[in-house]
Amino acid sequence: MTAPVAEHNNRSPLLTVWQNPTIRFQRMLALILLICQGGITVTGSLVRVTGSGLGCDTWPLCHEGSLVPVQGAAPWIHQAIEFGNRLLAFVVAAAAVAVVIAVINAKRSKIIKGLAWASFIGVVIQAVIGGISVHLDLKWWAVAIHFLPSMVLVWIAAILYMRIAETDSATPTQRYPQPIQWMAVAAAVALCFVLVTGTMVTGSGPHSGDSGVGMDGRLELDTAMLAYVHAACMYIYLIFTLLAFYLLRKNKGPKDAYNTAIVLILLILVQWAIGVIQFQLGVPRWTIPAHIAMSSAVVAFSAFLYAHGQRRLPTLV
């Protein structure tokens, strides 16, 4: 009887955590994954605004015949920024793998396991898309296709973070009236148009992602006109979010959903202010990473608001 006890006592605490991950540990990993998914979009924007997009001019190698930067092949700062962004993809992948392992060992529901696997598979697909965009010399539409899936992965990571806190065996509970859920869905659809038109504004603008390309490969449409279309989509998105907030308040919805809506509205307003500054100042470089970072934050909180609508209660904390 004593041998199994001794074996248990000798087990590494770290191994125990991974073999029997708590809800708190799973959520911590999911939060790290969410931050990584948003963070890599910011480093990607740094690649663009510094003209480092072809600091590594091939993929999966950095340069022909070399996995790492080569002295003299391109300015060292461009190589460092682009290669650093590629290395960060491995960090995101590691975070996704950690979440997959944790939810499998915890024997979570098929939905949660599916979200975890979708995050990992999405990271792999994103790496391939990034390589294709390099081979296409960073054409605007290739860069857009690289950015937009990142926003989908941020959404998935945010939903995963919410769902992990729930009780798998519980019956899904509708937490606020259906019209509020409709507003959340309508806001999410409007957000899709905001993101797509945003990539078109960037694609027609001055930041090509490669200092030697100039305006080649840009979207040949008027940037000001696209900016107005982008702004109109943003206002529609804000209106639907405000309607969801109003209905939550009117119907005395769950406090956590109500607070999420408040934070989301504040984030949208900050994003709007950054966009106005960009338009008025001619898209200065420093505004791009800030705008991209806020995009990830807005997407994440939009996902949170949507997820609050139906949950498997009681919530584990």
Side-chain angles (χ1 to χ4, degrees):
M1 295 295 293
T2 57
V5 175
E7 181 181 351
H8 176 75
N9 291 337
N10 292 330
R11 183 184 298 173
S12 166
L14 182 60
L15 182 61
T16 301
V17 168
W18 280 104
Q19 289 182 337
N20 300 286
T22 63
I23 296 294
R24 188 180 298 276
F25 182 67
Q26 294 172 55
R27 290 201 90 196
M28 180 191 71
L29 293 177
L31 180 59
I32 291 173
L33 174 60
L34 175 57
I35 293 172
C36 287
Q37 293 286 23
I40 198 167
T41 65
V42 177
T43 60
S45 70
L46 290 174
V47 171
R48 169 169 290 278
V49 300
T50 57
S52 303
L54 295 179
C56 289
D57 57 9
T58 189
W59 186 90
L61 301 178
C62 182
H63 297 289
E64 193 66 37
S66 176
L67 181 63
V68 299
V70 176
Q71 184 175 3
W76 71 268
I77 187 64
H78 292 170
Q79 294 194 65
I81 293 173
E82 167 62 10
F83 189 68
N85 184 60
R86 293 188 181 191
L87 288 179
L88 187 57
F90 290 98
V91 177
V92 182
V97 169
V99 173
V100 169
I101 293 173
V103 298
I104 289 177
N105 287 346
K107 297 179 173 60
R108 299 306 304 267
S109 68
K110 290 182 179 179
I111 293 176
I112 290 176
K113 291 177 183 176
L115 289 169
W117 276 111
S119 292
F120 172 70
I121 294 171
V123 171
V124 175
I125 293 174
Q126 267 293 68
V128 174
I129 294 174
I132 293 172
S133 68
V134 171
H135 285 291
L136 292 173
D137 293 329
L138 303 177
K139 295 292 190 296
W140 79 270
W141 52 268
V143 175
I145 292 174
H146 189 37
F147 168 74
L148 293 174
S150 291
M151 295 296 98
V152 174
L153 292 176
V154 168
W155 179 281
I156 292 174
I159 296 293
L160 178 61
Y161 175 75
M162 294 286 286
R163 297 297 179 231
I164 280 177
E166 298 174 2
T167 306
D168 291 352
S169 59
T171 301
T173 302
Q174 192 73 29
R175 302 185 69 219
Y176 46 64
Q178 194 65 40
I180 302 177
Q181 191 76 343
W182 292 340
M183 290 300 104
V185 171
V189 173
L191 177 57
C192 292
F193 284 96
V194 173
L195 295 171
V196 170
T197 55
T199 63
M200 295 175 71
V201 174
T202 302
S204 67
H207 302 302
S208 65
D210 168 37
S211 59
V213 171
M215 292 300 290
D216 292 342
R218 304 285 77 208
L219 175 59
E220 296 181 2
L221 290 175
D222 181 64
T223 302
M225 180 271 292
L226 290 172
Y228 286 125
V229 173
H230 178 57
C233 293
M234 187 278 298
Y235 287 126
I236 295 172
Y237 168 54
L238 176 59
I239 288 170
F240 281 125
T241 305
L242 287 171
L243 287 172
F245 169 75
Y246 169 75
L247 292 174
L248 279 169
R249 182 173 182 179
K250 180 181 178 181
N251 292 276
K252 297 181 179 180
K255 187 176 181 181
D256 52 2
Y258 181 78
N259 290 338
T260 296
I262 292 176
V263 174
L264 177 57
I265 290 169
L266 292 175
L267 290 173
I268 294 172
L269 292 176
V270 172
Q271 183 74 314
W272 168 82
I274 295 173
V276 170
I277 292 171
Q278 285 183 315
F279 186 78
Q280 296 296 330
L281 299 183
V283 198
R285 293 179 185 274
W286 64 268
T287 63
I288 303 294
H291 205 48
I292 293 296
M294 289 304 300
S295 293
S296 294
V298 165
V299 169
F301 273 84
S302 292
F304 291 157
L305 181 60
Y306 171 79
H308 276 303
Q310 188 177 82
R311 306 200 71 182
R312 296 178 182 271
L313 302 175
T315 302
L316 300 179
V317 293

